[in-house]
Amino acid sequence: MILLWGVFITCILSAFVVSCESNTYDEISKKTANPTYEADVEHIIHHNCLSCHYGTYQYPNLETYDGVKNACININLVCRIEGENCGIRMPQGGKLPQSDIDLIKLWVANGFVEK
């Protein structure tokens, strides 16, 4: 019985030690030199922007590839998410992780590759 409790306590303590590793999402996220809208940018936009920027709710509409590309070209979306003297920083709920901003900037620099 004592041996069984010892094994149980060892397992519990091991779980705490393993779970205390401090990796952030940015540290473990996939890095890519050639981001595409579908593989890399779309999920960032959907998770951070569509609560406001969908349909006719608030301009610009960021539901589609064309909408996001248009916002980058004509509304300076990158500057808005960086918050560098372009009006109110987006998203208003808080700054995007720098890795997401860098990925969107690289996507723009590479010519808005869709797929």
Side-chain angles (χ1 to χ4, degrees):
M1 180 76 167
I2 294 175
L3 180 61
L4 186 57
W5 276 107
V7 170
F8 176 73
I9 291 173
T10 302
C11 288
I12 297 297
L13 290 175
S14 296
F16 282 116
V17 170
V18 171
S19 67
C20 291
E21 192 173 320
S22 63
N23 288 331
T24 65
Y25 178 77
D26 289 341
E27 292 170 334
I28 62 172
S29 65
K30 174 181 82 167
K31 305 294 183 203
T32 181
N34 300 304
T36 67
Y37 177 77
E38 285 187 4
D40 304 293
V41 175
E42 184 175 32
H43 81 277
I44 296 170
I45 299 298
H46 281 224
H47 290 288
N48 296 286
C49 308
L50 288 188
S51 60
C52 294
H53 293 277
Y54 66 93
T56 57
Y57 182 68
Q58 186 168 344
Y59 180 80
N61 181 329
L62 300 176
E63 287 181 284
T64 65
Y65 165 81
D66 289 329
V68 175
K69 180 181 175 183
N70 180 56
C72 289
I73 294 170
N74 298 313
I75 303 171
N76 208 356
L77 176 70
V78 172
C79 187
R80 295 296 296 269
I81 64 174
E82 285 185 307
E84 295 180 358
N85 303 319
C86 296
I88 298 170
R89 176 185 287 161
M90 293 291 153
Q92 290 183 348
K95 184 178 180 185
L96 292 176
Q98 190 61 48
S99 61
D100 288 351
I101 294 170
D102 292 343
L103 190 134
I104 293 170
K105 288 170 66 174
L106 182 58
W107 173 68
V108 170
N110 287 353
F112 305 100
V113 178
E114 186 173 5
K115 298 179 185 184

